[in-house]
């Protein structure tokens, strides 16, 4: 059996989460770090006849690390890289212009001393800015154009990943270790969904808000075969943060909700109705995380 850890890296919105969710959604349950340990990045266990892959999905790297938020994300990302990683998937969105942010990510990728695979995502959108990424194909001998959203051309990529992973048979202890380090959570897991929503708060809000907020999933009800109802709330410490999270005319919270809903729907292959609200609770830290 092959087993190893694969780190996904790339600027925000290239399609990292979609790729992992789509790959794993139909196959196995999503895993996530224990509630009390590192909250980022999200890990997912993929399994097939070849073996097992733990995908480490990073929340993205931002060009400007001036503010606390992006600094924190960058630290978390670098921490994930320093953890033992067997293969790095560097994902780019060839439908989007290369920019400084991409150059920054490339700089980080270059520093990682691990087998790397370049993934040119979103080929379903046509050629796009592919010429701008062509030079990378020489640097990364292994490159795969895919459409993560449609699961197109994914098989050759998986074959390549498995070929780079060490062969090993896990003994009982290692299996137990895997299960305790990456506890399998059902797709309807409240923690998993809360983490997804939290990630969107991180990505869509600036500065200090994410530190002062958490997400609680209160209810998950299967309304019918296709539709799942989820009630969740974002708790934050002060009214002014609540106002910012809601945004003008409720626009911000709608945006966060829509983004999260899309990703949960993809991961579960279900229609999701997400009832997302914001509440002020100065004591949430004591109430929920002690
Ligand atoms: P991440 O920030 O890298 O995790 O990116 P996401 O997975 O959240 O995806 C960002 C956006 O790109 C979402 O709107 C996805 O639906 C979209 N997307 C992801 N993969 C593809 C793809 O292969 N083709 C197309 N057309 N869109 C995609
Ligand atoms: Mg993501």
């Amino acid at each position: 059996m092959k087993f190893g850890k694969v780190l996904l890296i790339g600027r925000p919105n290239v399609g990292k989460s979609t790729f992992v969710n789509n790959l794993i959604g139909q196959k196995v349950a999503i895993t996530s770090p224990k509630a009390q340990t590192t909250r980022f990045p999200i890990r997912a266990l993929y399994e097939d006849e070849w073996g097992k892959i733990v995908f480490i999905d990073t929340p993205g790297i931002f060009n400007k690390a001036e503010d606390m938020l992006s600094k924190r994300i960058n630290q978390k990302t670098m921490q994930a890289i320093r953890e033992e990683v067997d293969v790095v998937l560097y994902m780019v969105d060839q439908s989007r212009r290369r920019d400084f942010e991409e150059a920054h990510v490339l700089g980080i990728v270059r520093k990682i001393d691990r087998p790397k695979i370049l993934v040119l995502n979103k080929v379903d959108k046509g050629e796009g800015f592919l010429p701008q990424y062509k030079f990378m194909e020489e640097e990364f001998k292994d490159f795969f154009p895919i459409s993560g959203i449609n699961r197109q051309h994914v098989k050759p990529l998986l074959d390549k990943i498995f070929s780079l992973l060490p062969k090993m048979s896990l003994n009982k202890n290692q299996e137990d270790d895997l299960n305790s380090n990456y506890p399998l959570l059902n797709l309807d897991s409240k923690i998993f969904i809360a983490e997804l929503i939290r990630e969107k708060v991180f990505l869509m809000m600036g500065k200090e808000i994410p530190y002062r907020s958490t997400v609680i999933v209160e209810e998950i009800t299967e309304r019918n075969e296709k539709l799942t109802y989820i009630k969740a709330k974002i708790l934050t410490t002060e009214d002014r943060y609540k106002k910012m999270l809601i945004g003008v005319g409720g626009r911000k919270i709608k945006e966060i909700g829509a983004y999260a809903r899309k990703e949960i729907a993809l991961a579960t292959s279900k229609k999701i109705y997400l009832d997302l609200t914001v509440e002020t609770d100065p004591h949430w830290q004591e109430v929920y995380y002690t």
Side-chain angles (χ1 to χ4, degrees):
M1 186 191 103
K2 293 275 194 149
F3 171 71
K5 291 180 194 164
V6 173
L7 179 77
L8 268 150
I9 191 164
R11 57 180 169 159
N13 286 316
V14 295
K16 299 179 296 298
S17 301
T18 305
F19 169 76
V20 172
N21 290 340
N22 215 358
L23 187 64
I24 284 163
Q26 297 102 335
K27 287 265 177 183
V28 295
I30 298 278
T31 67
S32 161
K34 278 175 239 163
Q36 297 294 330
T37 61
T38 327
R39 311 181 89 198
F40 282 108
I42 288 174
R43 290 164 168 78
L45 185 67
Y46 172 81
E47 229 177 323
D48 70 13
E49 62 279 6
W50 274 82
K52 296 182 190 196
I53 304 172
V54 174
F55 281 101
I56 305 169
D57 177 15
T58 60
I61 298 169
F62 296 84
N63 185 29
K64 290 204 180 74
E66 274 114 47
D67 61 274
M68 292 262 285
L69 166 70
S70 35
K71 251 191 197 142
R72 185 186 150 113
I73 288 179
N74 283 347
Q75 276 167 11
K76 287 287 173 198
T77 305
M78 290 315 275
Q79 191 181 319
I81 295 164
R82 279 195 299 272
E83 261 185 39
E84 208 167 307
V85 163
D86 297 284
V87 174
V88 174
L89 286 194
Y90 172 32
M91 188 176 278
V92 298
D93 175 353
Q94 52 89 50
S95 73
R96 235 162 86 207
R97 190 182 291 284
R98 258 190 81 229
D99 60 5
F100 287 117
E101 195 174 52
E102 191 65 73
H104 178 68
V105 179
L106 178 60
I108 291 172
V109 172
R110 281 182 175 147
K111 283 187 199 143
I112 309 172
D113 185 22
R114 299 274 164 198
K116 292 163 213 172
I117 299 173
L118 175 67
V119 179
L120 300 148
N121 195 25
K122 308 195 187 179
V123 292
D124 57 286
K125 286 174 112 175
E127 275 266 302
F129 291 92
L130 190 62
Q132 296 190 357
Y133 295 91
K134 270 283 173 201
F135 79 101
M136 292 184 184
E137 294 180 0
E138 276 177 32
E139 184 167 342
F140 300 87
K141 281 184 285 359
D142 297 311
F143 60 90
F144 292 85
I146 68 159
S147 166
I149 212 161
N150 301 327
R151 285 194 91 192
Q152 264 171 334
H153 317 298
V154 168
K155 182 80 172 75
L157 172 61
L158 279 173
D159 288 346
K160 183 72 210 176
I161 294 172
F162 273 119
S163 79
L164 291 168
L165 293 182
K167 212 181 220 164
M168 59 166 86
S169 45
L170 300 178
N171 61 34
K172 173 94 175 55
N173 278 350
Q174 286 165 319
E175 288 274 359
D176 287 351
D177 192 45
L178 186 65
N179 289 335
S180 63
N181 279 320
Y182 306 100
L184 276 178
L185 299 169
N186 293 327
L187 280 174
D188 63 359
S189 156
K190 289 183 175 175
I191 294 169
F192 173 69
I193 288 166
E195 282 299 309
L196 273 186
I197 298 170
R198 248 176 67 85
E199 187 198 40
K200 302 315 165 212
V201 175
F202 258 86
L203 289 173
M204 304 186 94
M205 299 302 301
K207 310 244 159 84
E208 72 266 62
I209 281 186
Y211 298 108
R212 300 177 191 283
S213 62
T214 194
V215 177
I216 307 293
V217 173
E218 295 177 307
E219 187 190 335
I220 300 173
T221 312
E222 298 217 341
R223 286 274 161 87
N224 56 50
E225 282 267 294
K226 288 196 195 103
L227 182 76
T228 300
Y229 169 84
I230 298 172
K231 185 172 167 57
K233 63 185 177 192
I234 303 171
L235 296 183
T236 190
T237 46
E238 288 177 41
D239 282 336
R240 63 192 171 109
Y241 296 133
K242 175 178 166 180
K243 247 178 108 178
M244 287 163 80
L245 279 159
I246 292 171
V248 180
R251 226 171 286 158
K252 204 79 209 176
I253 185 73
K254 247 184 230 154
E255 233 173 50
I256 294 169
Y259 197 178
R261 187 182 54 72
K262 223 169 129 182
E263 203 161 307
I264 301 164
L266 196 61
T268 55
S269 303
K270 292 223 164 95
K271 263 216 175 96
I272 303 293
Y273 183 92
L274 178 60
D275 176 4
L276 185 63
T277 52
V278 186
E279 276 174 35
T280 306
D281 178 354
H283 305 296
W284 68 259
Q285 278 160 315
E286 293 117 76
V287 177
Y288 293 99
Y289 288 96
T290 52

